[in-house]
Amino acid sequence: MKILFVCHGNICRSPMAEFVCRHILAREGVDDVQVESAALHNDEIGNDTDSRTLRILRREGIPFSPRRAWRLTRAKALDYDLIVGMDGENMRDLRNILSEADPPRVCTMLSFLGRPGESVADPWYTGDFELTYRQIAAACEALVRQLCAKP
């Protein structure tokens, strides 16, 4: 299975989700799931993960590596089984990229916590990377539980 997390610029929320989800999958011994992240806009293309996100990952003992933000295209989106957006704007952007006939399953991050209409706080604007981490960590735990429960 291939999972893609997306957000506006691919430097805060989506890479945080990518690294947190990889960490949880490794902890649970799941090795047949690939996880990546991408941007839905050009603002940060080529930039590495925001230093405030990396500070939280480091503190939590979650491995990360240097990376460069990249923008999702329809052709690339079709490579994924599941695409996870962080908020309503991301979901609108995904609908503009994908047609209704495209196969990837698309959902919001907080849908894994039973809150599909809610958004993961965008720390670029709020400055609250702690809240964003708590939301993403809880949602990733729920996502991996769902993956592990399926045959």
Side-chain angles (χ1 to χ4, degrees):
M1 173 174 231
K2 289 180 74 174
I3 300 172
L4 181 70
F5 294 104
V6 296
C7 67
H8 184 94
N10 191 217
I11 62 166
C12 296
R13 295 177 293 174
S14 60
M16 183 184 287
E18 173 185 353
F19 293 126
V20 168
C21 192
R22 282 183 185 171
H23 178 68
I24 295 168
L25 289 165
R27 182 191 73 204
E28 297 301 319
V30 179
D31 59 4
D32 60 347
V33 177
Q34 295 177 17
V35 180
E36 296 179 25
S37 64
L40 293 166
H41 293 268
N42 290 330
D43 307 29
E44 300 289 341
I45 300 304
N47 292 335
D48 199 352
T49 306
D50 187 284
S51 62
R52 296 163 292 181
T53 293
L54 297 177
R55 185 173 26 243
I56 288 178
L57 295 175
R58 194 174 292 112
R59 182 194 72 206
E60 297 297 324
I62 297 170
F64 59 87
S65 56
R67 50 176 301 287
R68 295 194 179 281
W70 60 278
R71 185 167 181 180
L72 184 64
T73 63
R74 180 178 179 273
K76 187 67 174 162
L78 297 177
D79 290 342
Y80 297 92
D81 302 298
L82 175 62
I83 301 175
V84 182
M86 300 294 153
D87 58 31
E89 179 188 333
N90 298 162
M91 300 309 287
R92 283 188 300 276
D93 292 338
L94 285 168
R95 283 191 295 274
N96 289 332
I97 292 170
L98 297 167
S99 75
E100 289 187 27
D102 290 332
R105 187 174 136 224
V106 177
C107 64
T108 61
M109 188 74 183
L110 296 183
S111 67
F112 298 108
L113 298 175
R115 302 182 341 234
E118 293 182 36
S119 297
V120 172
D122 189 342
W124 182 260
Y125 298 104
T126 67
D128 193 346
F129 283 76
E130 294 295 331
L131 171 60
T132 301
Y133 172 75
R134 289 191 306 272
Q135 291 176 315
I136 286 174
C140 284
E141 290 282 358
L143 167 59
V144 172
R145 275 195 307 275
Q146 287 180 27
L147 291 174
C148 291
K150 293 188 176 179

